[in-house]
Amino acid sequence: MSAILRLAVQSKGRLAQDSLALLQQCGLQVLRTPGALTARARGLPVDLLFVRDDDIAGLVSAGVCDLGIAGENVVREVALEDPKADNLQTIRRLGFSRCALKLAAPKAGDIKTPADLEGKTIATSYPAQLRAWLNAQGLGANIVVLKGAVEIAPALDLADAICDLVSSGATLIANGLSDFATVLQSEALLIGNDTALEPQKADLLARLLRRMDGVIASRATKYIMLNAPRAALDEITALLPGADAPTIMDLAGDKTHVAVHAVCRETIFWDTLEALEARGAKAILVLPIEKMMG
Ligand code: PRT
Ligand code: ZN
């Protein structure tokens, strides 16, 4: 029987859509029957398991799944809390579901810095990471574990401060809270465990990773095309961010300009386009790149 990789992803929630989109960009078509907990992908032999995000690290650690896509915040909490989970490995940082685990306290109160937490009570869903952070800071504080609605704990007099995930910051503002320290900057991770995969599975993982690396690299990468005055060619190519060896082509019927095409491996900001235009570049096009290899 040929090898099949088992990959755990979040069933529904903030990670689910981006996880499936990434797999799709890697050439895996996933037809999900409503209610089904598993699906066989087409494109590469991969079985998907749809679970709660909190269960992903445990399933990978126990070897039930070879791989998982989960938030770093959850993976780290499991790794700190469960001694058996010290075999978890980060295979790739995936760049989506970015958020930060932050400390925050009522804006109108007197907790403004980490030192002000001494002897206070902090509500969180991430007690292991908070405890480790407090220890590293040499602070003593009480921890109240709440599974949800952490942000209302100070208003209910359950805690003096909170340690919770923040993305836009709107929830903190809506609850009259202000953040003053960061415990973790988090993003989605592709995780595995430290047991060596059998050779066929290892080959399969290598193929998947090559595709994933291509997808991740192509996110910031753009293809830029423009017409440049010959006289300003050096200046213009020097402005292209992360471009190696642009292609320069003659333009039919125009001896004073040339066409410049380049792959830019860094973000092209509006400032760059304005600077290019100021040096005489015309017909500037910035195109997304769908896939990259080599
Ligand atoms: O059902 P299941 O257990 O699978 O899902 P869940 O409800 O536990 O998790 P879910 O889907 O809400 O989040 C999954 C993962 O997304 C988290 O573990 C993080 O890695 C990541 N993520 C990214 C976030 C946020 N951004 C986020 N903003 N997870 C939660 N939040 C919450 C936060 O707890 C707070 O209540 O959103 C609120 C703050 O958001 P802002 O934008 O107002 O700052
Ligand atoms: Zn969860």
Side-chain angles (χ1 to χ4, degrees):
M1 204 185 91
S2 58
I4 295 172
L5 277 176
R6 299 194 86 189
L7 166 64
V9 294
Q10 189 189 30
S11 167
K12 58 177 195 301
R14 286 185 166 90
L15 277 164
Q17 208 179 342
D18 286 346
S19 303
L20 285 185
L22 171 65
L23 297 175
Q24 203 162 14
Q25 286 171 304
C26 293
L28 271 75
Q29 297 104 42
V30 180
L31 274 178
R32 219 179 138 182
T33 322
L37 296 179
T38 59
R40 168 87 31 107
R42 284 192 298 168
L44 279 183
V46 175
D47 271 351
L48 297 177
L49 204 65
F50 300 102
V51 292
R52 293 199 54 176
D53 70 336
D54 317 69
D55 295 332
I56 294 171
L59 289 167
V60 173
S61 164
V64 177
C65 291
D66 306 299
L67 304 167
I69 297 178
E72 191 172 2
N73 50 306
V74 175
V75 175
R76 216 168 149 231
E77 192 69 17
V78 171
L80 286 173
E81 258 187 346
D82 180 356
K84 292 196 297 295
D86 65 354
N87 62 346
L88 288 172
Q89 315 260 308
T90 298
I91 300 176
R92 287 291 183 278
R93 307 185 70 82
L94 300 176
F96 57 82
S97 284
R98 287 185 191 275
C99 56
L101 186 58
K102 291 193 175 191
L103 282 149
K107 231 185 161 98
D110 48 12
I111 300 177
K112 303 286 179 210
T113 68
D116 302 330
L117 292 169
E118 185 63 43
K120 297 288 199 297
T121 300
I122 310 166
T124 190
S125 309
Y126 298 91
Q129 284 170 92
L130 176 56
R131 176 61 62 213
W133 183 86
L134 287 168
N135 289 343
Q137 307 283 316
L139 291 168
N142 307 309
I143 298 176
V144 176
V145 181
L146 294 180
K147 285 293 166 210
V150 172
E151 60 277 359
I152 61 165
L156 297 177
D157 268 344
L158 277 170
D160 304 302
I162 67 163
C163 174
D164 198 11
L165 295 177
V166 177
S167 113
S168 68
T171 304
L172 290 185
I173 292 171
N175 288 280
L177 301 166
S178 168
D179 62 287
F180 55 89
T182 300
V183 173
L184 176 77
Q185 290 286 356
S186 177
E187 65 188 272
L189 304 178
L190 176 73
I191 54 167
N193 65 40
D194 62 6
T195 313
L197 291 171
E198 54 169 274
Q200 274 185 322
K201 277 193 182 185
D203 285 350
L204 204 50
L205 174 59
R207 276 181 79 191
L208 181 62
L209 289 180
R210 248 170 85 72
R211 295 182 183 193
M212 226 174 244
D213 290 343
V215 171
I216 294 168
S218 69
R219 278 192 203 135
T221 305
K222 296 281 182 286
Y223 195 74
I224 189 165
M225 307 197 289
L226 55 84
N227 292 344
R230 268 182 206 279
L233 189 56
D234 288 348
E235 245 185 308
I236 283 179
T237 52
L239 280 170
L240 301 173
D244 30 51
T247 307
I248 314 289
M249 287 166 286
D250 287 336
L251 287 169
D254 183 346
K255 295 267 178 273
T256 57
H257 288 78
V258 284
V260 179
H261 290 194
V263 173
C264 291
R265 290 175 192 268
E266 290 161 31
T267 310
I268 303 172
F269 294 106
W270 282 107
D271 302 16
T272 308
L273 297 186
E274 286 162 4
L276 289 167
E277 203 177 28
R279 281 159 185 80
K282 289 190 187 139
I284 308 171
L285 294 178
V286 179
L287 308 170
I289 291 175
E290 197 182 280
K291 294 184 180 70
M292 276 183 27
M293 201 170 264

